[in-house]
Amino acid sequence: MKALIFNGALERRQESTSGKLSQYVSEQLSQVGIANTIFNLADSGIPLFDLSLNRVPNAVKIMNNLFLEADIHFWLSPLYHGSIPGVMKNCLDWLEISAQNKPAYLTDKHIGLVCWADGVQALQGINAMDAIAKSLRAWTLPFSVPMMKSTLFEADNPNVISSVYKCKLDLMIEIATKKNRA
């Protein structure tokens, strides 16, 4: 089994919120023997979506291969102005080059969704990712993790994910990997 952790934020620092969350999910997957890759959108070089190009950009080919080879995905995103970042949606739009594959797009992939926001609106980002995943023929997990940034990290150590959110992330990972570990 292979897992893909899609870091949809434009944060390049390892100690960023998206970096800490991506690393945590990766470590938890590794502990249960699941090979995983973190796809950092900020480092990917994905251009603006343009199907009129004569050649598919190499960065897009690499991204498509990673997304299609993974059995399970974990999509992580901040909430920007009521939705996921436009660059994350742009990246997912490039999955259009897999439309002619058999099966097309992300058919039957399982996707866990995580979103964080400054307020309590992170579920809006979850809903946006859910709609995108379903339009790409994937199955979203029946459990997602919307996070309020003010409680995301331990109060006495802002570098440690709070125990409340660790439990939620762990449950999502367990649900995503359970059938393949039984």
Side-chain angles (χ1 to χ4, degrees):
M1 172 187 272
K2 291 183 186 176
L4 175 74
I5 302 157
F6 179 26
N7 177 355
L10 284 180
E11 301 171 309
R12 286 192 164 87
R13 298 172 296 113
Q14 185 69 22
E15 66 278 0
S16 66
T17 298
S18 64
K20 291 174 189 173
L21 290 170
S22 296
Q23 193 60 42
Y24 181 80
V25 172
S26 177
E27 289 168 359
Q28 297 309 107
L29 289 166
S30 293
Q31 283 183 12
V32 294
I34 307 282
N36 65 86
T37 301
I38 298 173
F39 180 81
N40 287 311
L41 182 56
D43 300 325
S44 68
I46 301 293
L48 289 175
F49 180 61
D50 184 357
L51 284 179
S52 69
L53 296 174
N54 292 333
R55 285 184 12 257
V56 175
N58 194 47
V60 171
K61 290 179 186 176
I62 292 168
M63 180 272 301
N64 262 260
N65 286 338
L66 287 172
F67 276 66
L68 297 174
E69 288 174 357
D71 303 297
I72 55 174
H73 293 204
F74 297 93
W75 293 359
L76 289 66
S77 175
L79 185 75
Y80 290 162
H81 310 289
S83 191
I84 62 173
V87 295
M88 184 177 185
K89 174 66 166 72
N90 176 74
C91 182
L92 292 165
D93 286 343
W94 274 109
L95 287 166
E96 185 62 29
I97 69 168
S98 69
Q100 302 306 314
N101 291 5
K102 302 288 186 225
Y105 306 114
L106 299 177
T107 299
D108 291 332
K109 304 287 184 189
H110 294 142
I111 302 177
L113 306 173
V114 177
C115 185
W116 59 96
D118 284 332
V120 294
Q121 303 300 319
L123 195 55
Q124 289 177 213
I126 298 286
N127 290 336
M129 290 186 285
D130 181 71
I132 294 165
K134 288 177 179 169
S135 71
L136 291 168
R137 304 177 187 174
W139 298 97
T140 54
L141 299 180
F143 183 80
S144 57
V145 186
M147 302 172 158
M148 189 165 59
K149 197 158 179 198
S150 63
T151 59
L152 179 51
F153 299 102
E154 294 290 347
D156 60 340
N157 189 346
N159 292 315
V160 175
I161 298 169
S162 71
S163 59
V164 169
Y165 285 120
K166 280 183 179 179
C167 286
K168 290 180 181 197
L169 291 167
D170 292 348
L171 178 57
M172 182 184 63
I173 291 165
E174 181 181 339
I175 291 168
T177 62
K178 189 173 187 172
K179 78 171 190 170
N180 292 300
R181 290 187 293 148

